[in-house]
Amino acid sequence: MSQENCTTVKQPDTIKVATFNLCNYLEPPYAFYDFENIYSAEQWQKKQNWIINYLSEHQPDVIGFQEVFSPESLQQLVKSQGFPYFAVIDEAKLVDDYIYQSPVVAIASRYPIKATSPVQANAELATAMGLYDNFQFSRQPLRATIDVPHFGLCDCYVVHFKSKRPTDPTVNETKTADKDNTDTDESVIKAFTAEISGGWASSIQRGSEAALLLTAIIERRAQSGNPILLMGDFNDNLHDGVLQHLLIQTVRNRSQGGINQLLAPYRLKDSWALYQAATQNQDNDGIPPKQRAYSHYFGSKGSVLDYILLSCEFDTEYQESLAEVSCYHTYDRHLINPIYEQDSQSTDHAVVMISLTLRS
Protein backbone atom coordinates (compact mmCIF):
# COMPACT_ATOMS: atom_id res chain seq x y z
CA MET A 1 0.00 0.00 0.00
CA SER A 2 2.83 2.37 -0.72
CA GLN A 3 2.70 5.52 -2.82
CA GLU A 4 4.97 3.74 -5.29
CA ASN A 5 2.51 0.90 -5.82
CA CYS A 6 -0.28 3.42 -6.20
CA THR A 7 1.36 5.16 -9.11
CA THR A 8 3.54 2.66 -10.94
CA VAL A 9 2.37 -0.91 -10.40
CA LYS A 10 -0.92 -2.09 -11.91
CA GLN A 11 -2.48 -4.98 -9.99
CA PRO A 12 -5.24 -7.14 -11.57
CA ASP A 13 -7.42 -6.80 -8.46
CA THR A 14 -7.00 -3.02 -8.20
CA ILE A 15 -8.97 -0.15 -9.76
CA LYS A 16 -7.58 3.39 -9.88
CA VAL A 17 -9.91 6.39 -9.68
CA ALA A 18 -8.83 10.01 -10.17
CA THR A 19 -10.29 13.49 -10.04
CA PHE A 20 -8.63 15.98 -12.38
CA ASN A 21 -9.33 19.71 -12.69
CA LEU A 22 -7.94 20.53 -16.14
CA CYS A 23 -7.93 24.33 -15.68
CA ASN A 24 -9.52 25.95 -18.73
CA TYR A 25 -9.40 23.10 -21.19
CA LEU A 26 -10.41 24.96 -24.35
CA GLU A 27 -9.09 24.25 -27.82
CA PRO A 28 -7.94 27.30 -29.81
CA PRO A 29 -8.94 29.50 -31.53
CA TYR A 30 -11.62 29.91 -28.87
CA ALA A 31 -11.13 32.01 -25.73
CA PHE A 32 -12.14 31.34 -22.13
CA TYR A 33 -13.84 34.23 -20.28
CA ASP A 34 -11.95 37.01 -22.07
CA PHE A 35 -10.91 37.59 -25.68
CA GLU A 36 -7.22 37.57 -24.67
CA ASN A 37 -7.38 34.06 -23.17
CA ILE A 38 -6.55 31.96 -26.21
CA TYR A 39 -3.91 29.25 -26.24
CA SER A 40 -1.36 29.44 -28.99
CA ALA A 41 -0.81 26.24 -30.96
CA GLU A 42 2.35 25.60 -28.95
CA GLN A 43 0.65 26.23 -25.61
CA TRP A 44 -2.26 23.95 -26.49
CA GLN A 45 0.08 21.15 -27.52
CA LYS A 46 1.99 21.53 -24.24
CA LYS A 47 -1.26 21.28 -22.30
CA GLN A 48 -2.29 18.18 -24.25
CA ASN A 49 1.12 16.60 -23.70
CA TRP A 50 1.01 17.33 -19.97
CA ILE A 51 -2.31 15.50 -19.63
CA ILE A 52 -1.09 12.60 -21.75
CA ASN A 53 2.08 12.28 -19.67
CA TYR A 54 0.06 12.11 -16.46
CA LEU A 55 -2.30 9.46 -17.83
CA SER A 56 0.55 7.42 -19.25
CA GLU A 57 2.59 7.50 -16.03
CA HIS A 58 -0.17 6.99 -13.46
CA GLN A 59 -2.65 4.86 -15.40
CA PRO A 60 -5.99 5.68 -13.75
CA ASP A 61 -8.99 3.58 -14.81
CA VAL A 62 -11.79 6.07 -14.15
CA ILE A 63 -11.28 9.84 -14.22
CA GLY A 64 -13.64 12.66 -13.31
CA PHE A 65 -12.72 15.90 -15.11
CA GLN A 66 -13.58 19.50 -14.29
CA GLU A 67 -13.20 22.75 -16.26
CA VAL A 68 -13.92 21.18 -19.63
CA PHE A 69 -14.73 23.63 -22.41
CA SER A 70 -13.84 21.30 -25.33
CA PRO A 71 -15.27 17.83 -24.61
CA GLU A 72 -14.77 16.56 -28.16
CA SER A 73 -11.05 17.27 -27.99
CA LEU A 74 -10.81 15.69 -24.54
CA GLN A 75 -12.65 12.60 -25.72
CA GLN A 76 -10.17 12.14 -28.56
CA LEU A 77 -7.24 12.60 -26.20
CA VAL A 78 -8.38 10.06 -23.61
CA LYS A 79 -9.40 7.57 -26.29
CA SER A 80 -5.83 7.63 -27.57
CA GLN A 81 -4.71 6.76 -24.04
CA GLY A 82 -6.92 3.70 -23.65
CA PHE A 83 -10.20 5.17 -22.43
CA PRO A 84 -12.85 4.06 -24.93
CA TYR A 85 -15.73 5.26 -22.76
CA PHE A 86 -16.42 8.95 -22.23
CA ALA A 87 -19.43 10.96 -21.11
CA VAL A 88 -20.47 14.59 -20.79
CA ILE A 89 -24.02 15.81 -20.16
CA ASP A 90 -23.74 19.59 -20.49
CA GLU A 91 -21.94 22.14 -22.63
CA ALA A 92 -20.03 25.34 -22.04
CA LYS A 93 -21.77 28.60 -22.91
CA LEU A 94 -20.70 30.61 -25.94
CA VAL A 95 -21.20 34.25 -24.89
CA ASP A 96 -19.59 35.93 -27.89
CA ASP A 97 -18.34 34.91 -31.31
CA TYR A 98 -15.52 32.87 -29.80
CA ILE A 99 -15.59 33.50 -26.03
CA TYR A 100 -16.79 30.71 -23.76
CA GLN A 101 -17.90 30.66 -20.13
CA SER A 102 -19.25 28.01 -17.76
CA PRO A 103 -17.08 24.93 -18.34
CA VAL A 104 -18.56 21.52 -17.61
CA VAL A 105 -17.56 18.22 -16.02
CA ALA A 106 -16.87 14.95 -17.83
CA ILE A 107 -15.86 11.37 -17.08
CA ALA A 108 -13.58 8.88 -18.87
CA SER A 109 -13.39 5.16 -18.20
CA ARG A 110 -11.58 2.04 -19.35
CA TYR A 111 -14.75 0.14 -18.48
CA PRO A 112 -18.21 0.34 -20.07
CA ILE A 113 -20.37 3.30 -19.12
CA LYS A 114 -23.85 1.80 -19.05
CA ALA A 115 -25.85 4.95 -18.39
CA THR A 116 -25.39 8.67 -17.80
CA SER A 117 -27.65 11.30 -16.31
CA PRO A 118 -27.54 14.87 -15.02
CA VAL A 119 -28.23 15.19 -11.30
CA GLN A 120 -31.30 17.34 -10.78
CA ALA A 121 -32.04 19.31 -7.63
CA ASN A 122 -35.22 18.29 -5.81
CA ALA A 123 -37.46 21.36 -6.14
CA GLU A 124 -39.53 20.50 -3.05
CA LEU A 125 -36.43 20.14 -0.89
CA ALA A 126 -34.92 23.32 -2.33
CA THR A 127 -38.04 25.24 -1.33
CA ALA A 128 -37.98 23.69 2.15
CA MET A 129 -34.36 24.86 2.47
CA GLY A 130 -35.41 28.43 1.74
CA LEU A 131 -34.15 28.37 -1.85
CA TYR A 132 -36.03 29.03 -5.05
CA ASP A 133 -37.93 26.00 -6.33
CA ASN A 134 -36.05 26.39 -9.64
CA PHE A 135 -32.66 26.17 -7.90
CA GLN A 136 -29.89 25.20 -10.32
CA PHE A 137 -26.39 23.87 -9.73
CA SER A 138 -23.73 26.36 -10.76
CA ARG A 139 -22.23 23.48 -12.79
CA GLN A 140 -24.35 20.48 -13.69
CA PRO A 141 -23.20 17.35 -11.80
CA LEU A 142 -22.86 14.17 -13.85
CA ARG A 143 -23.77 10.62 -12.86
CA ALA A 144 -22.30 7.74 -14.84
CA THR A 145 -23.11 4.11 -14.10
CA ILE A 146 -19.97 2.11 -14.89
CA ASP A 147 -19.57 -1.66 -15.02
CA VAL A 148 -16.39 -1.97 -12.95
CA PRO A 149 -14.51 -5.29 -12.72
CA HIS A 150 -14.98 -7.03 -9.34
CA PHE A 151 -17.49 -4.41 -8.18
CA GLY A 152 -20.20 -4.56 -10.84
CA LEU A 153 -22.32 -1.50 -11.61
CA CYS A 154 -21.10 1.59 -9.73
CA ASP A 155 -22.66 5.04 -9.74
CA CYS A 156 -19.84 7.54 -10.31
CA TYR A 157 -20.60 11.22 -9.71
CA VAL A 158 -18.46 14.10 -10.98
CA VAL A 159 -18.98 17.55 -9.46
CA HIS A 160 -17.52 21.02 -9.47
CA PHE A 161 -19.14 23.00 -6.68
CA LYS A 162 -19.53 26.79 -6.71
CA SER A 163 -16.27 28.62 -6.09
CA LYS A 164 -15.67 31.10 -3.27
CA ARG A 165 -15.64 34.02 -5.65
CA PRO A 166 -18.32 36.53 -4.66
CA THR A 167 -21.49 36.30 -6.72
CA ASP A 168 -22.62 39.89 -6.14
CA PRO A 169 -22.21 41.81 -9.43
CA THR A 170 -21.39 45.01 -7.51
CA VAL A 171 -17.99 43.48 -6.73
CA ASN A 172 -17.05 43.92 -10.38
CA GLU A 173 -18.40 47.46 -10.33
CA THR A 174 -16.16 48.38 -7.41
CA LYS A 175 -13.15 46.86 -9.13
CA THR A 176 -13.83 49.11 -12.11
CA ALA A 177 -13.93 52.12 -9.81
CA ASP A 178 -10.62 51.05 -8.26
CA LYS A 179 -8.95 51.15 -11.67
CA ASP A 180 -9.82 54.84 -11.89
CA ASN A 181 -8.05 55.51 -8.57
CA THR A 182 -11.25 57.05 -7.20
CA ASP A 183 -11.22 55.37 -3.80
CA THR A 184 -13.40 57.14 -1.29
CA ASP A 185 -14.88 56.10 2.02
CA GLU A 186 -18.12 55.37 0.22
CA SER A 187 -16.57 53.27 -2.57
CA VAL A 188 -14.38 51.28 -0.16
CA ILE A 189 -17.33 50.54 2.13
CA LYS A 190 -19.41 49.51 -0.87
CA ALA A 191 -16.65 47.17 -2.06
CA PHE A 192 -16.22 45.74 1.43
CA THR A 193 -19.90 45.02 1.96
CA ALA A 194 -20.19 43.56 -1.55
CA GLU A 195 -17.27 41.24 -0.81
CA ILE A 196 -18.94 40.07 2.41
CA SER A 197 -22.41 39.54 0.95
CA GLY A 198 -21.12 38.09 -2.31
CA GLY A 199 -18.82 35.65 -0.52
CA TRP A 200 -21.65 34.45 1.68
CA ALA A 201 -23.94 34.10 -1.34
CA SER A 202 -21.33 31.80 -2.88
CA SER A 203 -21.18 29.79 0.37
CA ILE A 204 -24.95 29.41 0.38
CA GLN A 205 -24.88 28.21 -3.22
CA ARG A 206 -22.02 25.77 -2.60
CA GLY A 207 -23.53 24.35 0.59
CA SER A 208 -26.94 24.03 -1.02
CA GLU A 209 -25.43 22.22 -4.00
CA ALA A 210 -23.77 19.73 -1.66
CA ALA A 211 -26.97 19.10 0.31
CA LEU A 212 -29.17 18.66 -2.76
CA LEU A 213 -26.58 16.47 -4.45
CA LEU A 214 -26.36 14.22 -1.41
CA THR A 215 -30.14 13.82 -1.21
CA ALA A 216 -30.18 12.90 -4.91
CA ILE A 217 -27.40 10.35 -4.31
CA ILE A 218 -29.35 8.82 -1.41
CA GLU A 219 -32.53 8.57 -3.48
CA ARG A 220 -30.62 6.94 -6.32
CA ARG A 221 -28.90 4.52 -3.92
CA ALA A 222 -32.27 3.44 -2.53
CA GLN A 223 -33.39 2.62 -6.08
CA SER A 224 -30.26 1.01 -7.53
CA GLY A 225 -28.24 -0.32 -4.60
CA ASN A 226 -25.09 0.48 -6.60
CA PRO A 227 -21.82 1.39 -4.86
CA ILE A 228 -21.09 5.13 -4.95
CA LEU A 229 -18.00 7.10 -5.97
CA LEU A 230 -18.25 10.89 -5.73
CA MET A 231 -15.29 12.85 -7.11
CA GLY A 232 -14.53 16.41 -7.99
CA ASP A 233 -13.40 19.92 -7.15
CA PHE A 234 -15.37 20.85 -4.04
CA ASN A 235 -13.91 24.39 -3.83
CA ASP A 236 -13.89 24.21 -0.04
CA ASN A 237 -12.72 22.24 2.97
CA LEU A 238 -14.89 19.14 3.23
CA HIS A 239 -14.58 18.72 6.97
CA ASP A 240 -16.01 21.97 8.27
CA GLY A 241 -18.25 24.78 7.18
CA VAL A 242 -20.84 24.47 4.44
CA LEU A 243 -19.77 21.06 3.07
CA GLN A 244 -19.46 18.97 6.21
CA HIS A 245 -22.98 17.57 5.84
CA LEU A 246 -21.65 15.45 2.95
CA LEU A 247 -20.10 13.30 5.67
CA ILE A 248 -23.10 13.18 7.99
CA GLN A 249 -23.17 9.88 9.87
CA THR A 250 -26.10 10.16 12.31
CA VAL A 251 -29.77 11.01 12.59
CA ARG A 252 -30.67 13.22 15.52
CA ASN A 253 -33.02 11.83 18.16
CA ARG A 254 -32.69 8.28 16.84
CA SER A 255 -31.04 5.33 18.55
CA GLN A 256 -27.81 4.91 16.61
CA GLY A 257 -27.55 1.24 17.51
CA GLY A 258 -30.94 0.61 15.97
CA ILE A 259 -30.45 2.43 12.68
CA ASN A 260 -26.70 2.20 12.19
CA GLN A 261 -26.93 -0.78 9.85
CA LEU A 262 -29.80 0.81 7.93
CA LEU A 263 -27.83 4.03 7.42
CA ALA A 264 -24.60 2.35 6.32
CA PRO A 265 -25.42 2.17 2.57
CA TYR A 266 -26.25 5.88 2.47
CA ARG A 267 -23.19 7.29 4.21
CA LEU A 268 -20.22 8.62 2.31
CA LYS A 269 -16.67 8.72 3.65
CA ASP A 270 -13.59 10.62 2.59
CA SER A 271 -11.21 8.27 0.77
CA TRP A 272 -8.26 9.76 2.65
CA ALA A 273 -9.81 8.69 5.97
CA LEU A 274 -10.55 5.24 4.55
CA TYR A 275 -6.97 4.96 3.33
CA GLN A 276 -5.65 5.83 6.79
CA ALA A 277 -7.99 3.30 8.42
CA ALA A 278 -7.00 0.57 5.96
CA THR A 279 -3.30 1.08 6.67
CA GLN A 280 -3.51 1.44 10.47
CA ASN A 281 -2.96 -2.24 11.11
CA GLN A 282 0.06 -2.51 8.88
CA ASP A 283 3.63 -2.54 10.12
CA ASN A 284 4.81 1.00 9.41
CA ASP A 285 8.02 0.69 11.48
CA GLY A 286 6.76 3.32 13.88
CA ILE A 287 6.55 5.96 11.14
CA PRO A 288 3.55 8.24 11.73
CA PRO A 289 1.09 8.55 8.82
CA LYS A 290 1.89 11.29 6.34
CA GLN A 291 -0.15 14.46 6.34
CA ARG A 292 -2.54 14.90 3.49
CA ALA A 293 -1.01 16.92 0.66
CA TYR A 294 -2.71 20.10 -0.47
CA SER A 295 -4.44 20.02 -3.83
CA HIS A 296 -4.52 23.77 -4.47
CA TYR A 297 -2.56 26.89 -3.55
CA PHE A 298 -3.67 30.50 -3.34
CA GLY A 299 -0.39 32.34 -3.12
CA SER A 300 1.52 30.47 -0.42
CA LYS A 301 -1.62 29.20 1.32
CA GLY A 302 -2.43 25.57 0.58
CA SER A 303 -5.76 23.79 0.92
CA VAL A 304 -7.45 20.53 -0.02
CA LEU A 305 -10.24 21.23 -2.51
CA ASP A 306 -10.30 18.01 -4.53
CA TYR A 307 -11.90 14.91 -3.03
CA ILE A 308 -13.09 11.39 -3.73
CA LEU A 309 -15.87 10.12 -1.44
CA LEU A 310 -16.92 6.49 -1.27
CA SER A 311 -19.81 4.37 -0.03
CA CYS A 312 -19.56 1.55 2.50
CA GLU A 313 -18.48 -1.03 -0.09
CA PHE A 314 -14.99 0.50 0.15
CA ASP A 315 -14.88 0.84 3.95
CA THR A 316 -12.92 -1.89 5.75
CA GLU A 317 -15.03 -1.35 8.88
CA TYR A 318 -18.14 -2.40 6.96
CA GLN A 319 -18.62 -6.14 7.29
CA GLU A 320 -19.75 -6.63 3.69
CA SER A 321 -17.21 -4.34 2.05
CA LEU A 322 -15.86 -5.29 -1.37
CA ALA A 323 -12.58 -3.40 -1.40
CA GLU A 324 -10.27 -1.15 0.55
CA VAL A 325 -8.52 2.11 -0.29
CA SER A 326 -5.05 0.68 -0.72
CA CYS A 327 -3.40 3.90 -1.86
CA TYR A 328 -4.01 7.64 -1.96
CA HIS A 329 -1.85 9.79 -4.23
CA THR A 330 -1.76 13.55 -4.76
CA TYR A 331 0.15 14.55 -7.89
CA ASP A 332 1.35 18.05 -7.05
CA ARG A 333 4.90 18.34 -8.37
CA HIS A 334 3.81 21.00 -10.88
CA LEU A 335 2.48 23.09 -7.97
CA ILE A 336 5.33 22.82 -5.48
CA ASN A 337 8.33 22.37 -7.79
CA PRO A 338 7.30 23.40 -11.30
CA ILE A 339 9.55 23.08 -14.33
CA TYR A 340 8.54 25.72 -16.84
CA GLU A 341 9.17 23.68 -19.98
CA GLN A 342 7.03 20.83 -18.65
CA ASP A 343 4.44 22.53 -16.47
CA SER A 344 3.72 25.99 -17.87
CA GLN A 345 0.41 24.80 -19.36
CA SER A 346 -0.54 22.21 -16.75
CA THR A 347 -3.24 23.01 -14.17
CA ASP A 348 -3.62 24.96 -10.94
CA HIS A 349 -4.89 21.87 -9.07
CA ALA A 350 -3.22 18.66 -8.00
CA VAL A 351 -4.58 15.43 -9.44
CA VAL A 352 -5.94 13.17 -6.70
CA MET A 353 -5.97 9.42 -7.36
CA ILE A 354 -6.91 6.46 -5.18
CA SER A 355 -6.47 2.71 -5.61
CA LEU A 356 -9.31 0.38 -4.67
CA THR A 357 -8.12 -3.17 -4.06
CA LEU A 358 -10.43 -6.14 -3.85
CA ARG A 359 -10.52 -7.59 -0.33
CA SER A 360 -9.39 -11.17 -0.01
Side-chain angles (χ1 to χ4, degrees):
M1 295 189 181
S2 68
Q3 293 288 347
E4 181 180 359
N5 287 338
C6 184
T7 60
T8 62
V9 180
K10 177 65 176 174
Q11 302 293 339
D13 60 349
T14 297
I15 306 299
K16 296 180 180 181
V17 180
T19 180
F20 194 155
N21 185 317
L22 294 168
C23 187
N24 299 322
Y25 186 85
L26 178 57
E27 187 173 14
Y30 298 104
F32 48 92
Y33 304 116
D34 187 272
F35 70 92
E36 295 181 348
N37 295 331
I38 303 174
Y39 295 115
S40 68
E42 180 183 4
Q43 289 173 326
W44 179 245
Q45 190 59 56
K46 286 182 72 172
K47 191 170 188 69
Q48 296 281 82
N49 289 342
W50 196 91
I51 298 167
I52 289 171
N53 289 338
Y54 175 83
L55 298 178
S56 176
E57 179 180 354
H58 298 281
Q59 293 289 309
D61 298 301
V62 176
I63 321 166
F65 292 107
Q66 303 87 45
E67 294 205 24
V68 180
F69 285 101
S70 299
E72 296 87 358
S73 173
L74 182 60
Q75 183 174 11
Q76 292 176 8
L77 184 153
V78 297
K79 185 177 181 179
S80 73
Q81 297 303 304
F83 296 85
Y85 305 99
F86 181 87
V88 62
I89 43 83
D90 201 2
E91 60 182 7
K93 293 179 174 59
L94 183 64
V95 295
D96 206 336
D97 289 340
Y98 62 97
I99 300 175
Y100 277 91
Q101 293 181 356
S102 305
V104 302
V105 301
I107 193 167
S109 173
R110 299 189 191 276
Y111 313 119
I113 297 176
K114 296 297 187 179
T116 58
S117 176
V119 179
Q120 303 293 352
N122 184 308
E124 184 177 345
L125 283 176
T127 302
M129 291 164 57
L131 307 170
Y132 294 111
D133 58 8
N134 62 345
F135 176 89
Q136 300 291 322
F137 291 96
S138 56
R139 304 173 184 92
Q140 181 65 64
L142 177 156
R143 184 186 77 229
T145 302
I146 301 177
D147 192 357
V148 181
H150 311 304
F151 309 142
L153 295 179
C154 295
D155 285 335
C156 300
Y157 296 83
V158 185
V159 299
H160 190 180
F161 290 141
K162 177 69 179 72
S163 73
K164 291 185 177 181
R165 284 189 295 274
T167 58
D168 191 330
T170 61
V171 173
N172 294 327
E173 294 172 10
T174 56
K175 285 182 178 178
T176 301
D178 290 343
K179 291 180 180 178
D180 298 331
N181 296 317
T182 56
D183 281 346
T184 63
D185 286 349
E186 182 180 358
S187 68
V188 169
I189 290 172
K190 184 178 181 181
F192 191 33
T193 55
E195 190 77 18
I196 294 168
S197 60
W200 180 240
S202 293
S203 295
I204 293 172
Q205 175 74 23
R206 186 167 57 259
S208 300
E209 288 176 353
L212 290 167
L213 173 68
L214 183 57
T215 57
I217 290 174
I218 290 171
E219 290 172 0
R220 166 68 179 178
R221 171 73 171 202
Q223 296 170 358
S224 73
N226 294 339
I228 301 162
L229 297 89
L230 167 59
M231 64 199 83
D233 176 0
F234 288 18
N235 264 318
D236 210 336
N237 184 344
L238 173 64
H239 295 276
D240 56 34
V242 299
L243 296 185
Q244 60 184 339
H245 49 281
L246 282 170
L247 300 176
I248 190 167
Q249 301 291 307
T250 62
V251 176
R252 189 175 298 178
N253 299 324
R254 293 292 185 97
S255 169
Q256 295 310 306
I259 66 171
N260 192 53
Q261 192 67 19
L262 295 175
L263 283 178
Y266 305 102
R267 293 170 174 150
L268 297 179
K269 291 191 176 181
D270 185 358
S271 56
W272 170 253
L274 294 177
Y275 169 63
Q276 290 182 307
T279 56
Q280 268 184 353
N281 297 326
Q282 295 191 8
D283 182 7
N284 293 320
D285 298 324
I287 301 174
K290 292 182 179 180
Q291 287 191 332
R292 188 181 204 160
Y294 296 132
S295 71
H296 185 266
Y297 290 86
F298 185 77
S300 61
K301 179 178 173 59
S303 56
V304 180
L305 302 182
D306 303 85
Y307 295 91
I308 302 175
L309 307 188
L310 303 168
S311 57
C312 59
E313 286 83 0
F314 310 102
D315 182 356
T316 55
E317 295 183 357
Y318 181 63
Q319 188 174 5
E320 300 176 20
S321 62
L322 300 173
E324 63 182 5
V325 182
S326 56
C327 197
Y328 185 105
H329 184 254
T330 303
Y331 184 73
D332 59 0
R333 183 194 54 75
H334 59 292
L335 301 179
I336 61 177
N337 188 27
I339 300 171
Y340 180 81
E341 282 304 313
Q342 296 179 18
D343 304 318
S344 60
Q345 302 301 327
S346 55
T347 173
D348 57 350
H349 283 248
V351 186
V352 174
M353 184 177 74
I354 62 171
S355 295
L356 301 173
T357 299
L358 193 67
R359 298 194 71 186
S360 55

